[in-house]
Amino acid sequence: MELALSLGAPAEVYDVVIIGGGPAGLSAALYAARAKLRTLVVDKHPRAGALAMTELIANYPGVDEELSGAELLARFRRQAEKFGAEVVEAQVLATQLTSDPKQVITSEGTYQGRTIIIAAGALGRSGSIPGEKEFIGRGVSYCAACDAAFFQGKDVAVIGDSREMPDELELIVRFARRVYLLPRKRLDEEVRAQVTGHASVELLERAQVKRIVGEGAVTGVEVVDEGEAKVIPVAGVFVYLSGSRPTTDFLDGSVEITAQGCIAADPRTGATNQPGVFAVGDVTCNEVRQAVVAAGQGALAALAADKYLRRAKRMRQQWS
Amino acid sequence: MLMLIKEKDRAVIREMFEALVRPVKLVVFTQGPVHLPGERPCEYCEQVVQLAKELGELTDKLDVEIVNFHTDKERVKEYGIQRIPAIAVVGDVDYGIRYYGIPGGFEFATLLEAIIDVSRGSADLADETLEKLSRIDSPVHIQVFVTPTCPYCPSAVRLAHQFAMVNEHITADMVEAQEFPELSRRYGVYGVPRTVINEETHIEGAVPESIAVLYVLQAAGKLNETEAQQLAAISR
């Protein structure tokens, strides 16, 4: 039998750990790597994020052929990796930004960085489903790897259609008897084929979720399906929703957040109130959400991180 | 026999164990070679024993003692062990750090960290946390329910064990929820990490040190007015 053992924090410390693999994060990675900084990008998924979902991008300077957002991102990434940046695919769960080195706790383990650039984008959700908060830990879960086994042989609901939902569902179907899948919007064909490939999954695309109900623990999900209100009896509910709010749920409370929920950052450098922590791109609520703006901010933050690490007075130019 | 710890990992752990200062003992509670009638089979006992022995081979500062849970009543009582498999991580003194069930997957890292902390005899906590914990003068029992595949769980386990290190009244258990279904049922564990403090107080998910300590104070009845308000604001 094989026993998976995680050793925890790797001993190595990066100069820069970048959270997010969109245009801001990967541009920061390019400039950081070119400044000879040990650079790591933690990216949730190459197809997650606002740019990755863009079918055609026509306003990125210098790119005049027909290119999808995902293809443009793949180029960003190749270029950053060419200069030595590392990219890991992992979900950031928590951060410790006041320690030295700072820590980024992810689904794949903990990474340490002397500086952190937050470029996590703005696909976070706002609000919650009625009953959701009440039943957290009593049947409501966000982590199939953690909790799916508790629902062995039981019926569960999966609410939402975020990018991680299909992968999470793969884990849930190993345990649950029946899975009611309740996406907010119509699934694209590829995802639909993947999820309906499981005999135990029942896709309810028309049903609208009203609330999570229970007594002490979850007992069901109230939905309206074709005008008819009903309760689907389930023992567990896994929630995978996304929205358009800055993604800041992994922060440790040490970084200033504005009343709008954005990270407060100096627009010239991305510097936050926390020394050595920078924020760029949509997570700072730019007035315009454009790849080219995010990329420019990423470059500035990398040079600012370099300046911080050198304790220098000025940023170093990269001429070529 | 097939090793549980891979060769590559053994090298990394050897290096980590260079930080060990004073000797540490893993007291491992397991079943005997012969099963008595009515005795519950212990699915992971053998592996926990093997894991502890393999760790012991990586440094001369780590001793491993194997105790038969069913026959060595004295040792069981001394360490207050309730069920098996169990590991007590013991240094110059017994800080009350326990593992119930196998510390596999993500939890393995917390075992390595606990060994290092116990060897140093200190835990890396904020001054403010230490001040708060110093007020606790009656028994506090923290049980952190986990699964080995839960990436959020180690931070909750680590905090609980660190709290146990700095105050003699606090004991802290990692409990692998799947191995002890009755216990999980008793405490209504449907998701992990779930931290149960003195039976009544509980925390869902992994929370920062500054918040976890408030729950511990609450369980011990030691919250001051400001802290009570802070906690109420969080729980809202």
Side-chain angles (χ1 to χ4, degrees):
Chain A
M1 91 117 229
E2 186 156 317
L3 186 67
L5 298 173
S6 156
L7 303 187
E12 60 190 321
V13 177
Y14 289 90
D15 293 316
V16 190
V17 175
I18 298 162
I19 300 174
L26 290 171
S27 301
L30 170 64
Y31 275 75
R34 294 245 315 161
K36 303 240 175 341
L37 302 180
R38 284 216 63 192
T39 305
L40 177 76
V41 179
V42 184
D43 186 21
K44 184 157 75 177
H45 194 280
R47 292 191 166 273
L51 181 56
M53 288 191 261
T54 308
E55 273 181 34
L56 186 70
I57 181 142
N59 60 359
Y60 198 84
V63 178
D64 61 355
E65 66 265 46
E66 283 204 0
L67 208 60
S68 71
E71 283 165 331
L72 179 60
L73 273 178
R75 288 190 186 185
F76 273 57
R77 176 170 166 169
R78 268 202 306 276
Q79 198 178 1
E81 284 178 326
K82 196 170 97 186
F83 288 103
E86 295 171 44
V87 181
V88 294
E89 204 176 302
Q91 177 145 13
V92 175
L93 308 170
T95 49
Q96 173 63 264
L97 300 176
T98 51
S99 59
D100 183 31
K102 303 170 194 310
Q103 305 211 339
V104 177
I105 299 138
T106 80
S107 54
E108 300 299 311
T110 300
Y111 297 98
Q112 307 189 75
R114 293 164 65 204
T115 63
I116 306 288
I117 297 177
I118 303 163
L123 290 178
R125 59 186 293 223
S126 53
S128 58
I129 305 161
E132 179 182 341
K133 280 193 180 153
E134 187 185 343
F135 293 111
I136 289 176
R138 295 156 195 260
V140 169
S141 173
Y142 309 93
C143 174
C146 308
D147 303 334
F150 292 110
F151 302 99
Q152 173 88 49
K154 295 180 179 162
D155 297 348
V156 303
V158 171
I159 300 176
D161 41 45
S162 68
R163 285 275 162 173
E164 55 267 34
M165 182 277 284
D167 289 343
E168 296 278 314
L169 189 78
E170 294 292 319
L171 285 174
I172 296 166
V173 294
R174 287 193 215 162
F175 298 95
R177 185 177 62 179
R178 183 143 208 85
V179 181
Y180 298 96
L181 176 57
L182 298 153
R184 281 264 167 104
K185 55 179 192 291
R186 233 181 115 72
L187 298 177
D188 68 42
E189 287 310 316
E190 196 184 327
V191 173
R192 172 195 303 271
Q194 186 186 344
V195 299
T196 53
H198 298 287
S200 59
V201 173
E202 188 171 333
L203 178 59
L204 301 169
E205 272 181 308
R206 288 161 194 276
Q208 227 188 338
V209 174
K210 288 292 165 197
R211 64 181 65 248
I212 297 165
V213 296
E215 233 172 281
V218 168
T219 56
V221 178
E222 191 184 312
V223 300
V224 176
D225 195 359
E226 307 203 348
E228 183 197 347
K230 61 178 182 183
V231 172
I232 304 171
V234 291
V237 177
F238 289 83
V239 183
Y240 302 108
L241 289 166
S242 55
S244 57
R245 283 175 68 87
T247 313
T248 58
D249 52 356
F250 52 79
L251 294 177
D252 62 355
S254 68
V255 173
E256 189 189 336
I257 306 280
T258 68
Q260 289 74 40
C262 320
I263 298 180
D266 181 337
R268 291 166 306 168
T269 60
T272 67
N273 62 307
Q274 189 62 41
V277 178
F278 304 83
V280 285
D282 288 352
V283 81
T284 62
C285 299
N286 291 326
E287 198 170 338
V288 287
R289 293 186 174 190
Q290 292 290 307
V292 66
V293 174
Q297 290 179 332
L300 281 170
L303 297 176
D306 175 54
K307 178 181 146 187
Y308 171 86
L309 289 166
R310 289 185 295 113
R311 299 169 200 272
K313 287 208 174 101
R314 303 175 72 92
M315 290 191 198
R316 258 194 306 217
Q317 304 284 349
Q318 291 180 10
W319 293 115
S320 57
Chain B
M1 184 164 30
L2 195 66
M3 301 297 271
L4 291 176
I5 308 175
K6 292 192 204 94
E7 192 50 51
K8 177 173 69 80
D9 291 343
R10 296 161 73 85
V12 178
I13 297 168
R14 268 198 200 95
E15 207 170 300
M16 289 170 82
F17 279 174
E18 277 170 23
L20 297 184
V21 183
R22 288 185 291 274
V24 177
K25 187 158 73 171
L26 298 181
V27 189
V28 183
F29 295 82
T30 179
Q31 61 193 356
V34 183
H35 290 229
L36 307 170
E39 196 183 291
R40 233 177 93 168
C42 172
E43 200 182 338
Y44 287 99
C45 274
E46 233 171 88
Q47 283 174 30
V48 170
V49 169
Q50 191 187 335
L51 193 62
K53 283 182 175 168
E54 285 183 24
L55 279 176
E57 287 164 12
L58 300 180
T59 166
D60 52 11
K61 290 215 172 66
L62 185 66
D63 278 338
V64 178
E65 181 190 348
I66 309 296
V67 178
N68 184 328
F69 178 72
H70 300 292
T71 56
D72 199 341
K73 297 290 177 203
E74 210 169 295
R75 285 306 247 175
V76 169
K77 194 172 163 210
E78 181 185 347
Y79 288 98
I81 298 300
Q82 308 291 329
R83 57 198 90 85
I84 51 171
I87 303 174
V89 185
V90 184
D92 288 346
V93 293
D94 177 11
Y95 295 103
I97 296 176
R98 304 285 183 268
Y99 285 84
Y100 286 108
I102 191 159
F106 285 109
E107 289 309 321
F108 186 58
T110 71
L111 177 61
L112 300 178
E113 285 166 334
I115 291 169
I116 293 168
D117 282 351
V118 163
S119 176
R120 286 178 176 155
S122 68
D124 188 17
L125 293 168
D127 291 344
E128 208 178 320
T129 307
L130 295 173
E131 181 281 314
K132 287 182 163 72
L133 291 174
S134 69
R135 281 186 253 151
I136 290 171
D137 54 7
S138 60
V140 170
H141 181 208
I142 308 175
Q143 299 179 79
V144 186
F145 288 84
V146 304
T147 55
T149 50
C150 162
Y152 306 78
C153 292
S155 69
V157 170
R158 176 138 173 80
L159 263 186
H161 284 158
Q162 285 177 312
F163 289 177
M165 279 212 62
V166 299
N167 186 307
E168 59 182 333
H169 301 286
I170 303 175
T171 53
D173 307 343
M174 178 213 82
V175 183
E176 206 281 279
Q178 301 286 313
E179 287 177 59
F180 304 103
E182 291 113 34
L183 208 59
S184 299
R185 264 197 299 278
R186 185 160 113 208
Y187 293 107
V189 181
Y190 299 95
V192 288
R194 182 173 165 96
T195 303
V196 179
I197 311 169
N198 281 4
E199 308 291 313
E200 295 292 318
T201 306
H202 57 84
I203 310 173
E204 304 302 341
V207 299
E209 178 183 323
S210 55
I211 294 171
V213 71
L214 296 180
Y215 283 100
V216 172
L217 289 179
Q218 183 191 41
K222 293 284 179 187
L223 280 177
N224 66 29
E225 209 171 307
T226 323
E227 291 160 349
Q229 281 165 3
Q230 278 173 351
L231 192 57
I234 296 159
S235 325
R236 252 205 303 274

